[in-house]
Amino acid sequence: MTANAPFIAFEGGDGAGKGGALVTLAAALTADGHDVLSTREPGGTPEGLELRALLLAASGAVWDQGSELLLMTAARIQHVKRVIRPALAAGRVVLCDRFLGSTLAYQGGGRGIEADLILDLHRRFVEDFRPDLTVLLDVDPATGIGRSRRRLADDATDEGRFEGLDLGFHQRVRASFRAQAAQDPYRTILIDADRAIDVVQQDVVSHVRSRLAASLSQG
Ligand code: TMP
């Protein structure tokens, strides 16, 4: 991890509890004196939010998997160039709910698009920009999808296109996330998110704090 402001991505299957963990971590890091920017994908810019609505709508949207990959990537290019890099340059800690790992897991593992193509696009358009640290909330898809569907019903949003996919899809997504974590253990914190939400959140805060302290002490 760099000694400059870190870029921290949250990854995991639907219903893993990333959103709440990110809010808790943002509050903890702010209390520690950091200037924190919380953001998410797809989204994070006006263009990204429009793409989010198109991509996640459960009703009506029929995307070819290639279109889905290119739109997720388009939202990321806008986000990296216009929001994430400028914030890091200004010394802000950036917490991002989903990043490249989600494209590798959903469009790669889930849909079956080759990882090389996803990584080529990432290299070509954002110079292979990567998180300094990824927090992976690993959840059993049966548990996560149940949580996520209940939340979508309570919020009455139309964002459930991926939650509507079958369990096999979500199991491939999970397998990809776990493989990514195994390939990059030094930049990943793997958290068991099948546990109670407050336990998961406290675990995230303590692991990230100790990684940040270790990276600062290394200069
Ligand atoms: P969330 O923001 O509520 O986690 O939902 C975003 C959804 O979009 C989630 O189902 C995963 C999906 N997604 C992809 O398929 N590929 C991506 O690159 C990203 C960022 C998200």
Side-chain angles (χ1 to χ4, degrees):
M1 207 184 302
T2 62
N4 301 322
F7 172 40
I8 303 176
F10 277 69
E11 299 284 11
D14 295 279
K18 293 177 288 81
L22 193 150
V23 168
T24 306
L25 179 63
L29 296 183
T30 302
D32 293 346
H34 295 284
D35 181 7
V36 177
L37 173 72
S38 300
T39 186
R40 72 172 175 183
E41 293 198 354
T45 63
E47 301 81 7
L49 282 173
E50 292 200 30
L51 291 171
R52 180 181 179 90
L54 293 172
L55 280 161
L56 302 193
S59 56
V62 185
W63 295 112
D64 181 84
Q65 61 181 28
S67 310
E68 188 179 279
L69 167 63
L70 293 172
L71 293 177
M72 292 289 182
T73 305
R76 178 159 310 123
I77 295 166
Q78 297 292 118
H79 195 204
V80 169
K81 294 195 174 171
R82 299 191 174 196
V83 173
I84 299 176
R85 281 198 147 135
L88 294 171
R92 306 185 75 185
V93 175
V94 177
L95 305 184
C96 189
D97 189 342
R98 299 195 181 280
F99 196 67
L100 175 65
S102 282
T103 314
L104 290 166
Y106 284 78
Q107 283 65 53
R111 300 289 193 203
I113 298 176
E114 56 276 32
D116 282 350
L117 172 58
I118 297 169
L119 293 171
D120 276 350
L121 289 169
H122 196 70
R123 274 191 285 270
R124 169 67 182 80
F125 291 109
V126 291
E127 297 84 33
D128 208 25
F129 176 74
R130 302 285 186 122
D132 297 297
L133 186 61
T134 294
V135 178
L136 173 56
L137 297 190
D138 180 46
V139 70
D140 176 356
T143 310
I145 295 300
R147 276 186 199 156
S148 200
R149 285 183 185 156
R150 279 192 296 279
R151 180 176 49 81
L152 289 167
D154 289 348
D155 293 355
T157 70
D158 187 31
E159 287 202 344
R161 195 165 66 87
F162 287 94
E163 283 84 350
L165 299 175
D166 61 58
L167 198 56
F169 175 90
H170 291 285
Q171 279 160 346
R172 293 195 297 281
V173 167
R174 182 190 201 186
S176 168
F177 277 133
R178 291 170 67 109
Q180 292 177 48
Q183 275 171 10
D184 199 4
Y186 297 109
R187 280 185 298 185
T188 308
I189 297 171
L190 177 60
I191 303 275
D192 173 2
D194 282 328
R195 298 169 300 160
I197 284 172
D198 56 334
V199 176
V200 170
Q201 293 180 352
Q202 287 319 310
D203 221 8
V204 169
V205 170
S206 64
H207 277 90
V208 172
R209 274 187 170 142
S210 56
R211 291 279 186 120
L212 291 181
S215 77
L216 287 174
S217 69
Q218 281 165 15

